[in-house]
Amino acid sequence: RPNYVPIGVHYFFDIDHTPCDVYIQIKKGGSDIQFVKRLHEQDRFTSEDIQKYISQGIKDFYIPRDYQQYFVTFVTNSIIDKLENDLPLMDRLNTNSHSFEMVKEHIQKIGFNSETSELAEANINSMVKAIKEAPKLADLLKFLLTNKISYAYQKAHLVCVLGNFILAKQSWYEERHLEIFTYLSFFADITLKSTAQMRINSTIELENSDLSEKERLEVIEHAKDASELIKQYAK
């Protein structure tokens, strides 16, 4: 087992310090790899600082293996606290996007646990709040379509916004329907591993795609997989 484990850069967007030292990986030539410390424990940094590393091509930071669960718990709790407080709408949507990616990653790697469930709940509640607080539908759609948030979250939120807009026009609509539809939108594509899979909208598109047989099967079964996830989440 390696001494250092990779942590995606998206884990660092919504925190301003870390509970442990953080490293980057440098290849010295051949198979030699060196880990160089870039953030010290409790060092303060901004999202702009993280963006500089991204502009250099860095996709993962590294932390000592023994700190992995501690670090994930720290980030999860920090994001939950942030989402439960008042945020400008654009900041809320950005944080929603980052936490959505974390939930998706955890579900695909290890399934549900208590931390993942709590983060998903905070994210769903924040999506509901964002939809209620959005001043104009057109402004919200413009932000979702032009801002650099993940495609997976963009699609989930767009489905939720447009679905609720249609539902709200019905005579039988109640406020609880927004919460139900948000749950469905949140989990609908969360088992799919790539943007290419999420862009499939018909059987013909699936048949003409460059996806592998395994990836095609994941697309075909993703609705069933999502329903099973919601059953686990409800527990």
Side-chain angles (χ1 to χ4, degrees), residues 12 15 40 64 77-78 86 94 103 133 142 151 153-154 176 181 198 214 222:
F12 293 80
I15 57 176
H40 292 76
N77 290 337
S78 298
D86 292 332
N94 278 319
V103 172
E133 292 179 351
K142 181 179 178 181
Y151 179 84
Y153 179 74
Q154 180 191 70
R176 64 186 179 89
F181 200 76
M198 295 176 190
K214 180 182 178 181
H222 81 282

Side-chain angles (χ1 to χ4, degrees), residues 43-79:
D43 266 0
R44 296 286 171 174
F45 55 85
T46 66
S47 59
E48 287 75 18
D49 295 326
I50 304 303
Q51 287 292 345
K52 290 179 182 177
Y53 286 104
I54 294 174
S55 66
Q56 296 169 15
I58 292 175
K59 297 180 179 179
D60 296 303
F61 288 109
Y62 290 81
I63 62 173
R65 173 171 52 83
D66 293 340
Y67 280 89
Q68 184 175 14
Q69 184 56 49
Y70 182 50
F71 178 85
V72 171
T73 300
F74 170 80
V75 175
T76 299
N77 290 337
S78 298
I79 290 179

Side-chain angles (χ1 to χ4, degrees), residues 89-142:
L89 180 60
M90 302 310 144
D91 290 345
R92 180 173 297 282
L93 293 176
N94 278 319
T95 302
N96 283 353
S97 176
H98 304 152
S99 60
F100 181 88
E101 288 301 310
M102 289 177 58
V103 172
K104 182 161 71 74
E105 179 182 307
H106 290 186
I107 286 175
Q108 292 181 2
K109 285 185 176 180
I110 62 174
F112 266 120
N113 58 20
S114 58
E115 283 185 350
T116 306
S117 296
E118 289 175 9
L119 186 56
E121 183 73 14
N123 201 328
I124 289 167
N125 290 338
S126 184
M127 285 176 67
V128 172
K129 192 169 186 178
I131 292 171
K132 288 181 177 179
E133 292 179 351
K136 293 181 180 179
L137 178 61
D139 292 341
L140 179 57
L141 293 178
K142 181 179 178 181

Side-chain angles (χ1 to χ4, degrees), residues 193 197 211-221:
K193 299 180 177 63
Q197 289 175 309
L211 299 176
S212 67
E213 287 303 315
K214 180 182 178 181
E215 291 171 328
R216 292 185 185 191
L217 183 60
E218 289 171 346
V219 172
I220 292 171
E221 296 188 344

